[in-house]
Amino acid sequence: MLGGLALGAVRVPADEVLRIVTGEAPPGPFTTIVRDVRLPRVLLGAIVGAGLAVVGTVLQALVRNPLADPFLLGISSGASTGAVLVLVLGVGAGALGMPAGAFVGSLGALLVVWAMARRGGSMTTGRLVLAGVAVQYILSAVTSLVLVTAARAEHMREILFWTLGGLGQARWDSLPLPAAALLAGLTVLVLLARPLDLLLVGEEGATVLGLHTGRFRTGVFVLASLVTAVLVTVSGAIGFVGLMVPHAARMAVGAGHRALLPVAALAGAAFLVLADLAARTVAAPQEIPVGVLTALTGGPFFLWLLRRTTKAEGTA
């Protein structure tokens, strides 16, 4: 986070950054850049990265699949489509209109992917991935159709923002809602660490140990969709954070969710802040959408993980 505040088109010395953050620096150009431009952006990146990593960790436990991710399962795309429909068609009103639309879209997409992947009585990695990709394409087509037929000129930039994902619209007033969603969601999920651990032993084992798996999955699916919807509303659809970070966190602390969830949140925050820093600096003064960079790093990781998972299923 210190690097995110100090580096950019204008470099600010690290000691000056610390003085600005602690309120000891007098007003000036550096103070304006750090406090009004970079600090809200870095904080939003940390919140969104932490939230996506936590949601990815939980989804991988719920579906017992290492390829689960809010982007790959269509949750982020559903949230983007819901937010775009509220924006363009004016079907929602008030400050909560877009988060509500995003929530309906994300939950609907997740339920469709889950139903398609479970069709036939069992869920395989291939079926899950195909269902997620299919839903993503359908939702992208819906968003494009809305863009072509209903969007006005002032909506074009915002729709592109939701499609690619980015933190360039971060402001101080955009932080409270995602911060509250992250804090509440992480607190509830840490309290549910034991039931999440039980799911790792399998459906029958969890049921024998007293967990009502259907009811539990439904409740956590709704919570994951709600957190994702709030994050997508302020950052757009940023992919692969929820896929890569949980695997790295498990390598550090193991699969127990009481330790895994906080570590994944911290690692996700650090990853997205660094990715956004790269997005602002590698092609300066032009800015690359951070969702493009996370896709460039996450795509190869996904292909490697898919190959390893498919090989393991074939061996089994």
Side-chain angles (χ1 to χ4, degrees):
M1 293 177 72
L2 180 61
L5 295 175
L7 301 177
V10 176
R11 291 178 178 255
V12 182
D15 58 343
E16 184 69 14
V17 170
L18 292 176
R19 292 177 63 229
I20 293 171
V21 172
T22 57
E24 298 177 0
F30 283 168
T31 302
T32 301
I33 291 172
V34 172
R35 186 176 296 168
D36 297 335
V37 179
R38 292 183 184 172
L39 187 54
R41 180 167 182 155
V42 167
L43 290 174
L44 183 63
I47 292 169
V48 172
L52 292 176
V54 167
V55 171
T57 301
V58 170
L59 290 177
Q60 290 171 13
L62 289 178
V63 302
R64 299 185 63 232
N65 194 304
L67 298 177
D69 165 78
F71 184 78
L72 293 174
L73 295 187
I75 304 176
S76 297
S77 299
S80 296
T81 301
V84 166
L85 289 173
V86 169
L87 172 71
V88 174
L89 303 180
V91 294
L96 297 179
M98 288 176 56
F103 170 66
V104 172
S106 62
L107 182 59
L110 177 59
L111 292 177
V112 171
V113 170
W114 176 254
M116 292 173 63
R118 295 280 296 180
R119 192 174 180 84
S122 63
M123 181 176 61
T124 64
T125 296
R127 190 178 294 138
L128 180 69
V129 172
L130 289 174
V133 171
V135 170
Q136 278 193 69
Y137 274 116
I138 293 172
L139 294 172
S140 296
V142 172
T143 303
S144 299
L145 181 63
V146 172
L147 177 63
V148 171
T149 60
R152 298 191 296 271
E154 62 268 23
H155 293 152
M156 299 295 184
R157 190 176 187 87
E158 294 186 68
I159 293 176
L160 185 63
F161 158 75
W162 274 304
T163 303
L164 299 178
L167 304 173
Q169 298 188 15
R171 304 181 310 273
W172 282 110
D173 59 1
S174 64
L175 295 179
L177 184 59
L182 171 63
L183 181 61
L186 181 59
T187 301
V188 171
L189 291 171
V190 169
L191 293 175
L192 296 175
R194 184 178 179 276
L196 289 171
D197 291 342
L198 291 179
L199 289 178
L200 299 179
V201 304
E203 194 90 15
E204 294 182 2
T207 303
V208 169
L209 292 172
L211 179 65
H212 193 297
T213 55
R215 188 182 307 160
F216 179 74
R217 276 199 176 97
T218 300
V220 179
F221 274 150
V222 171
L223 177 60
S225 299
L226 179 59
V227 173
T228 303
V230 174
L231 299 178
V232 169
T233 301
V234 295
S235 70
I238 300 176
F240 297 101
V241 178
L243 174 68
M244 296 185 290
V245 172
H247 290 283
R250 287 190 191 93
M251 293 175 63
V253 297
H257 285 85
R258 189 171 299 278
L260 177 60
L261 287 169
V263 171
L266 182 61
F271 174 77
L272 194 56
V273 170
L274 287 173
D276 184 59
L277 176 59
R280 291 191 283 116
T281 56
V282 295
Q286 187 175 2
E287 181 179 315
I288 302 173
V290 69
V292 173
L293 288 187
T294 60
L296 287 175
T297 56
F301 178 83
F302 168 72
L303 292 175
W304 170 79
L305 190 62
L306 176 62
R307 180 176 179 273
R308 193 184 72 168
T309 305
T310 305
K311 185 177 179 180
E313 288 181 350
T315 303

